[in-house]
Amino acid sequence: MSDDNYTQEQYQALKYSNEQFDKNVLFIASGALGISFAFIEKIIPDLENAVNSNFLINSWYCFAGVIFISLVAHFISIMANRWAIAHDEQTKNYDKICKRWNLTLRTINILMIFGLLAGIILLIYFVKLNI
């Protein structure tokens, strides 16, 4: 296999991995939000009697935040790709600007991971307190 083919396959694998990450984060956050609504409706229909409902509400904020941040990340990714298409590697500071786009997206991805983790922990703790 030539170096060009190997590099192309690596880019395809990276592209697939990025697509799956975005889909999975959005799927998990949306699913957890939906499941928590169903849980409340079936198990604790009267939230006023729930113990520490603030954990539940904060988990909803986390999941909603992750969904919103995911949309922002997608938009930034589109903008970064449009910028890269409009400019070539000969553009002044091309590598520096690309690194800035990548750092922004990496930071957003890390925020989504922590937001998802926080939402799950809060939801699990609320469920533990109320079953």
Side-chain angles (χ1 to χ4, degrees), residues 9 32 54 68 82 102 111 124 127-128:
E9 285 183 17
N54 58 319
F68 177 75
R82 285 183 180 169
N102 289 334
L111 284 173
I124 289 171
V127 169
K128 179 183 171 220

Side-chain angles (χ1 to χ4, degrees), residues 23-82:
K23 284 181 191 176
N24 287 335
V25 166
L26 196 55
F27 178 76
I28 292 168
S30 300
L33 192 59
I35 288 171
S36 67
F37 287 146
F39 170 78
I40 295 307
E41 183 179 311
K42 301 287 186 207
I43 308 299
I44 309 169
D46 185 13
L47 262 181
E48 290 180 11
N49 294 328
V51 176
N52 290 328
S53 60
N54 58 319
F55 287 108
L56 173 68
I57 293 166
N58 286 329
S59 76
W60 288 343
Y61 283 132
C62 286
F63 295 136
V66 168
I67 293 167
F68 177 75
I69 291 170
S70 175
L71 293 173
V72 170
H74 184 70
F75 178 75
I76 290 172
S77 179
I78 290 169
M79 298 303 293
N81 284 321
R82 285 183 180 169

Side-chain angles (χ1 to χ4, degrees), residues 98-109:
C98 284
K99 285 180 182 178
R100 202 175 301 144
W101 284 113
N102 289 334
L103 178 62
T104 301
L105 289 169
R106 191 173 303 122
T107 302
I108 288 172
N109 287 341

